[in-house]
Amino acid sequence: MHIRKYFFTFLALFFVQKSIFAQDLPSKIQNYFDTYQKESPPEKVHLHFDKHTYTSGEDLWFSAYLVAGSSQILSPLSKTLYVDLFDGDGLLLEQRIVRLENGRGKGDFSIPIFGKAGKYRVKAYTAWMRNFGEDYFFTSDLMIIDGAAGSFLPQLTFSSISSQSGKVSYQTEITAINQGGKPLSGEKIEMIVWGSEEEIHRQDLLLNADGQVSFSFSIPEEPFEGLHVELIYLENRNYPVSKKIRLPYSLSLADIQFLPEGGSWVIGKKANLAFRGVAPDGEPLEIKGQIQGETISFESNFAGLGKFEITPTKKDYQAEIISPSTGESITIKLPEPQESGLAMQVVNNPQASYLTVFIQGNTTPSPLLLVSQTRGILNYMIQGNLTNGVWGVRIPKENLIPGINQISVLNESGIPILERLIFIQPEVNLALDINLLGELSPRNMLQLELESKLQDKPSSGTFSLAVLDAEQVQDESDVYGTIASNFLLSSDLKGKIHNPGFYFKNQNPETIAALDLVMLTHGWRRITWNEVLENKIPEVQYFIERGINIEGQVTDQEDTRKGLSGGTITALVGEGIEIVSTEFGPNGRFIFRDLEYQDSAKVTITAEDNRLKNFVDVEVVRPEPVFTQIKGTYPNKLAWPQALAESFEARNLMKQLNEDPNLVDLEGVTVEGQTIEEGEEDVRKIFGSGDVTLDPEKIPASVGFTNVFQLIQGRVSGVQVFVNGLDVSVQIRGVGSLASGTEPLYLLDNFPVDASTLLQVNPRDVASVDVFKDPARAAIFGAQGANGVIAVYTKTGGGSYRSVGGTLVTTYGGYSIAREFYQPDYTEKSTQNAITDKRATIYWNPLLDIDNSGKINLEYFNSDEAKKHLIIVEGIDQEGHFLRFSRIFE
């Protein structure tokens, strides 16, 4: 509030002067930003995961923080958050609909035990956020390791990459070992190069006695999306183990930009030129080079960013660029400096109480307006012009709020001539003191004492806390980011910020300088001056959701000439969970807003038209998913965290036994009660139920699937699914042989079909999928079932019972049920806790509220093996101060 008060005092003095700008520009700018704050407060979301590297079969836990407005306080607006999980190929696996309370929520995913390994991705967003574009959605990568695939651990190295005559050639070496470090001597592997979801190269390779092979290959010189190599090894000669690794692009395909500070540079005026190297998939490129004809050399940092100083004396400059890793070289033309124009330099001395902006140029003096704003909050505005070719402005830092500050210089028509982003560090952050009491011995009870402070005074706040086995898990916040890096940096810039957490790990000069390179090279921002001048407030197409919404359509059953006149419609959710009524008009559209229930519930909808009474039909219109598939992401090299992989089997066994001591198969569905329709479904299954039954209604993301095989992919243990265009291959571990083949028997409503026929079935028409894996169960199918059976049963009623007499009975998904983190109780020995405890996440608390005392105490039990605990805490207070705490306790 102090900042805004200071600004309005300053602005009042500014307007005392007679405005010399067109259409009273300063007033127009002020009115726009005030309206923006009131009518379009943006929302942002951050997810704190318990960790960022998981093994297959493991639980992924997350805590959600939603903030609103430019001051970024916990949001009182949306109560519904969508969290989508995608595999490495970009396929939507699952969606969670998380209920938020005062901007906070929690959730989880269970990573399929035999799903794909690779670089998964999570997106989180509210309906309101969709009005501002997908660039503002929360996005984070996660690494999933297949703990059962240690038989094949390959690494690729590229000694050289060259391009010529429309081809890119790679000189490559593969080294393959198993988890024991032994080379795969004399083994065959298959290599496939994929780009833009198409196969562009394939070859077979034979490893030597050391598990190595050197070879070369060429592909077309094109900026393929998701360019990667798939390496396939036949474990025990019949089960394919697949590993996917990103394939580097040729330097000739890179986007290398040279960006003058402020957007322009002028002949004869000293300038800073920043540069950025980016591959076609958005990954950074480390480059070095020199300016032809000058003694200026340059080299990028880890993020492909850098800068150099130059005083141009001519219009034509070229840079010779070299890739240090591959030796490739190219020549690039720099943007031309202006003969007449303006240039900007901003000096942010950490010791000074002000920010200095220098404007220099050789143009005829004319009115200029300097405007400074952060997330739509104006913090400084002043008019002026060049005097002897220079104009200097000092902006008091007390005016500036933390985060990305946009400094713009406008001409008298309001057109931006110069712009510069500058990052303002928070002067005040939440702090946390933690004491860990107790010995880190097996299964010992430990106590955590937490004390939250703001400027050394006790402070309340809401937090999330993870206690991890430091031998199995590392703090990867540099790579994946933190609550501060997300809310203050990544969420306000377009595109991916490489290693965002790196810029917030300390306040060293090197770190601050690296962050300023991000400001110099990522010039896109949330608000543009075209929108300001045109008074263009973001159009509201998606409203704030404060519950589950059910939309639908009422139609004339008999298609009479007069049609509907409008009436009343009522919805009964579950067995009386909620009863709501609303009106519909002559067009028949209706919506029930802000319902609150969990999981899928039976919904009975009854409509009565004023003219047609109950001679109407009712239909529910199910929303289309925002994403069904995104671009695949692939790691630059395969990670194999030894300690985490070694505990894979013990952790999964502990998880299964604690979820259900009588568990036979995790994916099996237990039917506790049957409706008439469910009984009819069982009658249709003349061969009985499979070892695993998949219900699409239990897979929220299935509404976005394009084929039935996506229902199976990654959800059934021991079953691998490969889909390439119209070609499908399903292989079940433990069945089949090279002699009899590996393809299972496919059934559609009890009739044998081929895989391509099943591929044409719409997933929305599927009632259930049964998978027969056990040879004893599949014996009923005879020799045809020797490789397992996939049985697909379609709906008889399109997923809803038929609308009769103006009444429709259907099922509709509600909020996801967030599971409770399993915390073993070792106060007494029992058969339930006798199994070896090798948990990687020892304790997880997603919603930890600390009151005004600033203190709270927690208890948890150690695992059997953890000797070091990595404790990570994130949080926020009611005024928008952030916290990130990370420390290893021994």
Side-chain angles (χ1 to χ4, degrees), residues 68 72 176 183 198 264 282 355 357 364 371 423 451 474 483 608 621 657 746 829 852 883 889:
Q72 304 199 134
E198 294 185 359
S264 66
L355 198 70
V357 182
T364 303
V371 182
F423 192 87
E451 185 174 4
Q474 296 178 339
I483 188 171
E608 183 171 341
V621 179
L657 292 179
Y746 300 106
K829 291 185 177 181
N852 290 330
L883 168 83
F889 292 80

Side-chain angles (χ1 to χ4, degrees), residues 339-508:
E339 293 182 356
S340 176
L342 299 177
M344 171 191 285
Q345 286 186 317
V346 177
V347 178
N348 184 12
N349 185 342
Q351 310 304 321
S353 61
Y354 50 82
L355 198 70
T356 305
V357 182
F358 287 109
I359 311 296
Q360 30 177 354
N362 53 15
T363 61
T364 303
S366 59
L368 299 174
L369 181 67
L370 183 144
V371 182
S372 175
Q373 64 93 11
T374 301
R375 297 188 298 273
I377 297 179
L378 281 171
N379 48 55
Y380 200 80
M381 191 186 319
I382 190 170
Q383 67 183 36
N385 51 43
L386 298 181
T387 302
N388 297 323
V390 177
W391 180 33
V393 176
R394 288 182 173 180
I395 304 175
K397 288 186 179 178
E398 64 178 334
N399 282 40
L400 308 178
I401 62 176
I404 298 175
N405 192 71
Q406 176 187 345
I407 299 173
S408 305
V409 176
L410 315 178
N411 65 15
E412 55 190 317
S413 299
I415 298 173
I417 303 171
L418 300 167
E419 284 193 334
R420 167 76 146 93
L421 301 184
I422 197 83
F423 192 87
I424 303 301
Q425 298 287 345
E427 292 185 2
V428 178
N429 285 309
L430 272 176
L432 193 69
D433 290 336
I434 292 184
N435 288 322
L436 179 61
L437 306 178
E439 294 184 5
L440 292 179
S441 55
R443 303 196 176 193
N444 189 36
M445 178 180 282
L446 300 167
Q447 291 185 331
L448 275 177
E449 295 179 345
L450 284 71
E451 185 174 4
S452 172
K453 298 179 180 179
L454 186 67
Q455 293 182 308
D456 294 325
K457 294 181 180 180
S459 175
S460 62
T462 179
F463 304 87
S464 46
L465 179 148
V467 179
L468 308 162
D469 182 349
E471 298 290 344
Q472 299 188 60
V473 181
Q474 296 178 339
D475 182 359
E476 300 176 281
S477 59
D478 276 14
V479 175
Y480 296 102
T482 67
I483 188 171
S485 71
N486 181 45
F487 283 141
L488 296 178
L489 179 67
S490 304
S491 59
D492 282 326
L493 293 176
K494 186 178 182 179
K496 181 181 177 181
I497 306 299
H498 185 64
N499 293 2
F502 170 86
Y503 305 105
F504 292 81
K505 66 179 183 177
N506 56 48
Q507 292 294 303
N508 294 340

Side-chain angles (χ1 to χ4, degrees), residues 138-188:
F138 171 86
T139 302
S140 180
D141 293 333
L142 302 167
M143 189 59 67
I144 309 300
I145 308 298
D146 185 354
S151 59
F152 180 47
L153 303 176
Q155 292 295 345
L156 268 71
T157 56
F158 301 94
S159 56
S160 70
I161 301 175
S162 59
S163 58
Q164 188 175 6
S165 302
K167 291 282 188 180
V168 179
S169 299
Y170 297 82
Q171 186 63 45
T172 314
E173 182 177 281
I174 294 178
T175 301
I177 59 174
N178 60 24
Q179 68 266 36
K182 294 183 179 180
L184 299 183
S185 303
E187 295 287 352
K188 293 180 180 179

Side-chain angles (χ1 to χ4, degrees), residues 799-830:
S800 299
Y801 312 155
R802 185 170 300 171
S803 172
V804 178
T807 297
L808 171 74
V809 180
T810 185
T811 57
Y812 203 90
Y815 286 117
S816 302
I817 299 176
R819 293 178 297 158
E820 292 299 319
F821 178 80
Y822 171 69
Q823 172 65 16
D825 184 355
Y826 291 136
T827 52
E828 295 182 4
K829 291 185 177 181
S830 65

Side-chain angles (χ1 to χ4, degrees), residues 709 726-730 743 746 753-760:
F709 292 96
L726 296 177
D727 294 328
V728 181
S729 175
V730 177
E743 284 291 307
Y746 300 106
V753 296
D754 55 23
S756 60
T757 299
L758 280 188
L759 198 63
Q760 307 305 314

Side-chain angles (χ1 to χ4, degrees), residues 258 280 343 397 642 771:
F258 289 86
K397 288 186 179 178
Q642 191 72 27
V771 181

Side-chain angles (χ1 to χ4, degrees), residues 741-752:
T742 58
E743 284 291 307
L745 170 66
Y746 300 106
L747 298 176
L748 178 61
D749 291 332
N750 298 316
F751 291 96

Side-chain angles (χ1 to χ4, degrees), residues 86-93 116-121 194 197 226 228 230 242 244 628-634 713 721-723:
F86 304 85
D87 68 15
D89 291 323
L91 173 69
L92 178 63
L93 292 180
K116 297 178 186 177
K119 203 172 184 180
Y120 281 39
R121 181 161 287 186
W194 298 92
E197 299 184 0
H228 69 280
E230 181 179 14
S242 170
K244 297 179 179 180
T628 57
Q629 188 161 4
I630 60 174
K631 295 178 181 179
T633 54
Y634 304 93
Q713 202 164 35
V721 178
F722 303 90
V723 180

